[in-house]
Amino acid sequence: MHKLFVPPESIDGSLITVTGADVEHLHALRIREGERLSISDGKKTVYEAALSQMHKDSAVFDILDEKSFENEPDIDITVCIALLKGGACEDVIRQSVELGASHIVVFTSANCIAKEREKDGKYLKTARQAAMQSGRDVVPDILTGVSFEKMLNILKKTDLPLFFHEKAQTPFFDVIEKNSLPRSAAFAVGPEGGFTDSEVKSAENCGIPAVSMGKRILRAVTAPLCALSVLTAVYDRQR
Ligand code: SAH
């Protein structure tokens, strides 16, 4: 069943009115009257709804059934990635959405080579497409242009803050063993040139010691996917 994400205001009683770019998407998919879609309000409910009226700029659906989210992980994970060269951030965002990230933060740090920020709209579009494709119930939110210090604050607010550094002594698995069921986790991965020693110190001073994912050096695009896969494998036990 195709999936759509609509703002909660689109839902009125037993009807859902879809507008904007989603209508173009429905036209492109050639959705016919009576056809059923899964529509999420992005907050907590997924509706099964059938198309009742298709107009040029809007589409109206009848709600047939509603359920609480079913496809979201048990743990709320924030993925903090440094601004990367080329389209690398977009690739990480797409794959992080597939792997179950709830929030994505793009931060700047001392060794960032990339200077230009992507347009936020482009990232959001990528996240939305990945959420639809992977059957997510929400589109993760994306914060961009975040400073290194602000990123550390975001990490600190979660039950399990992780700062990944290739020279760290503490193995990831040791941290996991000590944290049986965190409700939230956030991790930071550095840019292509890695974190500087002073950034590693700043994190330590915030009470977030550096953690290692093994003796191999992972690329800035590989490290977040490895961390996310491990966190969901260990802490998302629904099925
Ligand atoms: N500074 C290094 C590599 C940077 S890799 C160099 O240029 O040789 C990019 C980021 O991936 C790092 O900042 C770190 O956050 C993460 N990373 C890569 N390998 C890692 C490992 N084995 N353990 C923990 N983090 C790692």
Side-chain angles (χ1 to χ4, degrees):
M1 204 184 308
H2 290 293
K3 188 142 201 166
L4 274 188
F5 298 93
V6 297
E9 313 82 85
S10 307
I11 299 149
D12 185 13
S14 62
L15 297 179
I16 301 176
T17 306
V18 175
T19 53
D22 283 330
V23 180
E24 285 165 38
H25 188 60
L26 291 172
H27 281 296
L29 290 173
R30 298 184 183 282
I31 304 289
R32 305 266 173 239
E33 277 179 22
E35 202 167 322
R36 292 174 182 209
L37 256 75
S38 170
I39 303 181
S40 167
D41 69 357
K43 291 260 182 283
K44 62 179 192 333
T45 310
V46 188
Y47 300 90
E48 190 179 326
L51 180 64
S52 65
Q53 294 164 46
M54 188 73 170
H55 307 289
K56 190 168 169 285
D57 300 319
S58 69
V60 181
F61 286 83
D62 291 324
I63 295 176
L64 306 172
D65 193 13
E66 62 179 80
K67 290 187 212 133
S68 296
F69 287 169
E70 290 180 328
N71 297 342
E72 289 305 298
D74 296 335
I75 177 170
D76 181 283
I77 306 174
T78 304
V79 173
C80 302
I81 53 166
L83 183 61
L84 303 173
K85 277 192 301 179
C89 280
E90 225 183 313
D91 292 340
V92 178
I93 289 170
R94 180 179 305 107
Q95 289 161 315
S96 297
V97 173
E98 290 169 35
L99 287 167
S102 296
H103 318 277
I104 297 163
V105 171
V106 183
F107 65 91
T108 44
S109 69
N111 284 340
C112 277
I113 303 165
K115 293 280 175 260
E116 278 293 300
R117 272 174 64 177
E118 278 290 343
K119 296 216 166 51
D120 293 3
K122 197 170 172 195
Y123 286 158
L124 260 179
K125 195 171 169 198
T126 302
R128 219 177 150 80
Q129 281 170 350
M132 284 181 183
Q133 174 272 320
S134 58
R136 293 286 302 263
D137 295 322
V138 288
V139 182
D141 49 86
I142 303 177
L143 264 184
T144 58
V146 173
S147 69
F148 180 81
E149 289 70 27
K150 194 171 168 211
M151 180 276 290
L152 288 183
N153 276 326
I154 293 172
L155 291 188
K156 244 182 8 187
K157 287 193 187 123
T158 65
D159 295 345
L160 180 58
L162 298 158
F163 187 90
F164 286 113
H165 185 49
E166 63 282 3
K167 294 183 202 136
Q169 296 302 315
T170 309
F172 192 7
F173 195 69
D174 282 9
V175 183
I176 285 172
E177 273 190 324
K178 289 196 188 103
N179 288 273
S180 57
L181 273 180
R183 296 192 54 175
S184 60
F187 64 81
V189 166
E192 296 89 344
F195 287 122
T196 62
D197 290 345
S198 93
E199 285 170 338
V200 176
K201 279 227 169 64
S202 301
E204 261 170 24
N205 292 341
C206 276
I208 315 169
V211 176
S212 163
M213 281 191 277
K215 297 183 191 114
R216 279 93 25 214
I217 295 181
L218 308 173
R219 289 177 62 212
V221 289
T222 312
L225 306 181
C226 173
L228 200 43
S229 308
V230 171
L231 288 173
T232 51
V234 175
Y235 296 122
D236 183 26
R237 305 268 182 87
Q238 276 173 337
R239 275 176 264 158

